[in-house]
Amino acid sequence: MWDFSVARALGLMLKTLPFVILRVAVYFGVAVAYVLATGTGAGIGWGVGGFGDEGFRASTTLWGGVIGFGLTAAVMYLLREYILYIVKAGHIAVLIKLLDGERMPEGRSQITYAREEVTKRFAQASVLFGVDQLVKGVLRAITGLVRGIVSILPIPGAQQLVSVVQAFLRIAVGFIDEVILAYAIRTKSNNAWASAQTALVLYAQNYKPMLKNAAWLALIVYGLSFVVFLVMLAPAALAVYLIPGAWSAGGVIFALLFAWAVKAALLEPFAITCMMDVYFRTIEGQVPDPAWEAKLENLSRKFRTLKEKAATYQPPRATDAETATA
């Protein structure tokens, strides 16, 4: 069936409780911010609507809510690099330490240790974000290769099957990009571009077991997210009821937001822990296959860009303090 241990993944997550709490605070904070901003915007719109008739008030209330939601979305877009750098990559750094059976350094919190490790491998948040975006592009290309293989199979209704496979694989590979970033932390690389290049080749040459496990995890994570969505419909409907001029779609939107928060805070790190376990066990003792590297070069422009950046990257020089510590 699958190659990961659910019990082991949950056990590792419990050992990283400080990061789990941080993720819950961040993602549920985001969900609450959306609700409050939308409600505030709708309230302001409702007040402005008092200068007109009922139709005008309904319109201004709706637009106030939309503007509040949109402003929050814009802020979150600006903070996406910071969240990836501090929350996601930091959690990965701690999970890798525990996955390898190593003890956390004495006298340092998990969050302090994680920040130091991530800074060593990715000097700036923009570097991590840039690597992540290229990795996602290459993963999409690999998924396209698998989709192409399915499309040429002599199966009735193959085109419809390809569409379903494409949508499902796009969801499934969403757990893999952070595993590729984890490779740089685990190998203690000082060239994040080069480590991502190597990790992608190793992933590509083992794409069958990786996609199989990613598919199982996609079913588990999104299945549980749907359950959370159903549970959250009632409190979300209450939140909408309290907003002036409440609209019927608001409850669904807020329930989706809180289901997303549970997924991002709890279910995604579980899935990534499982995928890291599978990935590092699968590639143990392997070296990148030049044939697969050439195939990725031909297949993906972003892989070529990654390779170019890896070749030209100059790691930042250590400060005098770092040299003395070493």
Side-chain angles (χ1 to χ4, degrees):
M1 202 160 61
W2 55 64
D3 304 315
F4 52 85
S5 168
V6 172
R8 187 182 186 205
L10 291 175
L12 288 170
M13 282 188 63
L14 283 175
K15 290 180 180 178
T16 62
L17 193 58
F19 259 103
V20 172
I21 293 171
L22 175 62
R23 292 182 79 113
V24 168
V26 169
Y27 290 111
F28 276 87
V30 170
V32 170
Y34 271 108
V35 173
L36 292 178
T38 303
T40 301
I44 293 172
W46 185 82
V48 171
F51 294 101
D53 57 19
E54 285 302 315
F56 178 71
R57 170 168 275 181
S59 177
T60 55
T61 300
L62 174 63
W63 278 109
V66 169
I67 290 170
F69 189 94
L71 288 175
T72 308
V75 171
M76 292 313 304
Y77 181 80
L78 295 174
L79 291 177
R80 69 198 190 284
E81 289 186 19
Y82 177 81
I83 291 175
L84 175 66
Y85 196 66
I86 300 299
V87 179
K88 293 187 176 182
H91 198 184
I92 286 170
V94 176
L95 283 168
I96 287 171
K97 189 84 170 172
L98 298 174
L99 196 63
D100 288 339
E102 299 178 13
R103 296 176 62 86
M104 294 298 299
E106 296 291 338
R108 279 188 289 174
S109 69
Q110 288 187 3
I111 294 173
T112 300
Y113 165 79
R115 186 171 62 246
E116 292 171 358
E117 282 298 303
V118 173
T119 304
K120 286 177 188 175
R121 310 305 157 213
F122 309 94
Q124 298 172 325
S126 58
V127 172
L128 174 60
F129 187 73
V131 173
D132 186 56
Q133 292 304 299
L134 289 176
V135 165
K136 286 177 178 175
V138 179
L139 289 172
R140 282 193 293 270
I142 297 172
T143 304
L145 177 64
V146 177
R147 187 174 66 247
I149 294 170
V150 174
S151 66
I152 62 175
L153 295 176
I155 302 174
Q159 289 303 316
Q160 290 79 4
L161 177 62
V162 168
S163 299
V164 174
V165 169
Q166 179 181 4
F168 185 70
L169 289 179
R170 190 179 294 122
I171 293 171
V173 298
F175 304 125
I176 297 174
D177 60 315
E178 290 174 41
V179 176
I180 302 299
L181 299 178
Y183 185 85
I185 299 173
R186 190 174 191 247
T187 57
K188 304 188 184 304
S189 171
N190 62 355
N191 185 336
W193 309 97
S195 68
Q197 175 192 331
T198 302
L200 281 166
V201 176
L202 290 169
Y203 164 75
Q205 67 195 48
N206 295 284
Y207 75 89
K208 289 182 180 178
M210 295 304 298
L211 281 178
K212 179 190 75 172
N213 286 280
W216 276 113
L217 285 166
L219 288 172
I220 293 170
V221 168
Y222 283 90
L224 290 174
S225 297
F226 181 68
V227 172
V228 173
F229 164 72
L230 294 178
V231 170
M232 292 306 301
L233 275 174
L238 175 62
V240 170
Y241 177 77
L242 297 174
I243 295 174
W247 72 101
S248 58
V252 175
I253 293 171
F254 291 164
L256 283 172
L257 276 172
F258 283 106
W260 166 82
V262 171
K263 172 180 168 290
L266 301 174
L267 300 179
E268 279 187 11
F270 163 75
I272 290 164
T273 302
C274 292
M275 287 304 300
M276 285 196 300
D277 187 20
V278 172
Y279 178 75
F280 290 127
R281 281 192 288 107
T282 301
I283 67 169
E284 191 69 36
Q286 294 186 16
V287 295
D289 184 347
W292 267 106
E293 184 172 342
K295 189 177 292 187
L296 289 180
E297 260 192 279
N298 293 327
L299 187 67
S300 171
R301 178 180 57 82
K302 291 195 173 183
F303 185 80
R304 295 193 294 273
T305 302
L306 189 67
K307 194 170 181 178
E308 290 165 7
K309 287 184 175 291
T312 58
Y313 179 70
Q314 295 293 327
R317 296 180 62 183
T319 62
D320 292 340
E322 288 172 334
T323 304
T325 303

